[in-house]
């Protein structure tokens, strides 16, 4: 019955949606300390985190900012912003399915 997991972190924001039957995973914590490096989205989408597990949605950034989650009749609207209030990511979460733009 778990639809999503929410994790904190010091310096990264990630949204992971799975093609297989795993709950979406949101790592929200890009307000803590400066990060170094970036994660290659193409490589992440090709990776198999565990045998038989496949990602279909991957979004990551390390810019300082914050994330707001708003309940909707369909699920959740997840929006990440930078320190100037500009959008970094827009995602929707319905059940276990996460979609980001």
């Amino acid at each position: 019955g778990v639809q999503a997991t929410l994790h904190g972190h010091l310096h990264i924001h990630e949204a992971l949606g799975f093609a297989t039957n795993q709950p979406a995973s949101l790592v929200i914590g890009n307000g803590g300390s400066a990060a170094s490096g970036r994660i290659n989205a193409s490589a992440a989408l090709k990776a198999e985190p565990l045998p038989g597990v496949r990602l279909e949605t991957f979004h990551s950034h390390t810019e300082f900012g914050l994330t707001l989650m708003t309940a909707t009749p369909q699920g959740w609207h997840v929006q990440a912003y930078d320190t100037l209030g500009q959008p970094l990511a827009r995602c929707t979460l319905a059940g276990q399915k996460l979609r980001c733009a």
Side-chain angles (χ1 to χ4, degrees):
V2 176
Q3 295 178 351
T5 61
L6 181 61
H7 310 272
H9 199 276
L10 291 177
H11 53 249
I12 197 166
H13 176 279
E14 283 185 345
L16 303 135
F18 296 90
T20 46
N21 191 30
Q22 284 78 29
S25 180
L26 298 168
V27 180
I28 300 172
N30 53 318
S33 63
S36 60
R38 297 202 180 270
I39 298 172
N40 181 307
S42 296
L45 287 168
K46 292 176 188 171
E48 193 173 307
L50 293 169
V53 175
R54 291 186 339 267
L55 285 170
E56 69 179 357
T57 301
F58 178 84
H59 187 274
S60 177
H61 63 265
T62 56
E63 292 86 351
F64 285 117
L66 61 100
T67 300
L68 297 176
M69 295 180 67
T70 307
T72 70
Q74 296 78 29
W76 292 91
H77 179 73
V78 182
Q79 187 146 358
Y81 297 94
D82 68 13
T83 57
L84 299 175
Q86 298 301 309
L88 293 169
R90 291 184 175 121
C91 302
T92 57
L93 176 63
Q96 291 184 332
K97 289 299 175 185
L98 181 72
R99 303 280 186 247
C100 296

